[in-house]
Amino acid sequence: DIVVTQSPDSLAVSLGERATINCKSSQSVLSSSNNKNYLAWYQQKPGQPPKLLIYWASARDSGVPDRFSGSGSGTDFTLTISSLQAEDVAVYYCQQYRSTPQGTFGQGTKVDIK
Amino acid sequence: QVQLQQSGPGLVQPSQSLSLTCAISGDSVSGDTITWNWIRQSPSRGLEWLGKTFYRSKWNYDYALSVKSRINIKADTSKNQFSLQLSSVTPEDTAVYYCVRDRHRELQGGGFDLWGQGTMVTVSS
């Protein structure tokens, strides 16, 4: 099974500053057939289900603000919030969906305001 | 607007079966590029995919190995909904359960793009 590990477990960033979350997969999630990385990022606020932010490692889902960006390929990925807003306080998860029938989630990274 | 509405009991006794239903509005349970999933979340296990159903000329099912002997997912086209049944539950099955839509990963990018509101299920006597 592919194991997904996030770092750090938590971080605190000042409003307007950059937040960076890392995600490492134990195996490559790059598809050789279409050159897409099957890696997604989610945001979860208290009492709510996760919300899809990024798919294919770097494509923003509909309605997601452009301060959220995803990068990386193969086994190493990053989610960046370019200018942290108060409403971005949440737990963020990465998920690989290269292996089917199930994908696996990272353990989550909690983002707070410093 | 597409929505998933979950229903089912929040308390289940040990050794009994957990049953949840997810009603779909604005999409079809028989959609040929979509899969319909159940995912649970607990502090000890994090986000855990349990299983899915999807229609590709016939109904298909896939289940996580961890629950394969206890799980059953069914689609009901007449009501446009799908359901989860998990048998022989223990306190370790206590979690928030979500029904979730998954997009075709090659055609639509993949990712769990639509989630139900979640149901907190507690296994206790």
Side-chain angles (χ1 to χ4, degrees):
Chain A
D1 290 1
I2 298 180
V3 177
V4 176
T5 305
Q6 293 179 228
S7 63
D9 289 333
S10 65
L11 74 159
V13 176
S14 300
L15 288 173
E17 295 300 306
R18 179 185 301 258
T20 301
I21 302 168
N22 300 302
C23 177
K24 189 172 184 66
S25 174
S26 62
Q27 299 175 36
S28 175
V29 299
L30 177 64
S31 171
S32 56
S33 63
N34 61 6
N35 205 37
K36 299 290 189 185
N37 287 282
Y38 292 135
L39 191 286
W41 289 96
Y42 300 84
Q43 174 194 64
Q44 187 176 30
K45 297 180 179 180
Q48 297 182 18
K51 173 189 174 184
L52 178 65
L53 296 177
I54 302 283
Y55 61 94
W56 282 340
S58 61
R60 270 188 299 275
D61 202 33
S62 176
V64 174
D66 60 6
R67 63 180 180 274
F68 292 92
S69 64
S71 62
S73 184
T75 61
D76 293 281
F77 301 89
T78 300
L79 175 70
T80 301
I81 309 172
S82 61
S83 176
L84 191 76
Q85 305 300 303
E87 61 265 33
D88 301 334
V89 170
V91 179
Y92 292 84
Y93 296 92
C94 60
Q95 178 229 351
Q96 69 80 20
Y97 50 103
R98 178 72 176 88
S99 71
T100 57
Q102 63 188 79
T104 46
F105 291 87
Q107 79 276 18
T109 295
K110 186 175 182 182
V111 175
D112 271 319
I113 305 294
K114 185 187 290 184
Chain B
Q1 185 181 1
V2 186
Q3 287 186 326
L4 302 179
Q5 181 66 40
Q6 298 179 217
S7 59
L11 180 64
V12 182
Q13 299 213 345
S15 79
Q16 300 301 302
S17 290
L18 175 164
S19 294
L20 298 172
T21 299
C22 183
I24 304 165
S25 56
D27 202 348
S28 171
V29 72
S30 305
D32 59 5
T33 62
I34 296 292
T35 69
W36 301 99
N37 301 258
W38 288 97
I39 293 173
R40 68 183 178 184
Q41 184 175 29
S42 65
S44 59
R45 303 168 80 100
L47 286 160
E48 180 185 15
W49 177 84
L50 298 176
K52 66 182 179 185
T53 185
F54 55 100
Y55 187 78
R56 304 290 185 267
S57 303
K58 66 180 179 71
W59 285 104
N60 297 271
Y61 308 91
D62 282 313
Y63 301 126
L65 290 177
S66 61
V67 295
K68 194 166 188 175
S69 63
R70 302 191 289 130
I71 191 172
N72 189 21
I73 294 176
K74 284 185 182 178
D76 184 338
T77 55
S78 66
K79 296 181 179 179
N80 202 35
Q81 65 184 32
F82 64 110
S83 62
L84 167 71
Q85 187 170 37
L86 188 65
S87 64
S88 305
V89 297
T90 72
E92 285 200 354
D93 295 310
T94 294
V96 178
Y97 287 74
Y98 295 102
C99 59
V100 189
R101 185 178 73 176
D102 187 16
R103 306 179 304 195
H104 193 290
R105 64 179 189 176
E106 280 83 21
L107 299 177
Q108 299 166 313
F112 296 117
D113 72 319
L114 184 67
W115 297 63
Q117 79 275 23
T119 301
M120 178 66 216
V121 177
T122 301
V123 179
S124 174
S125 54

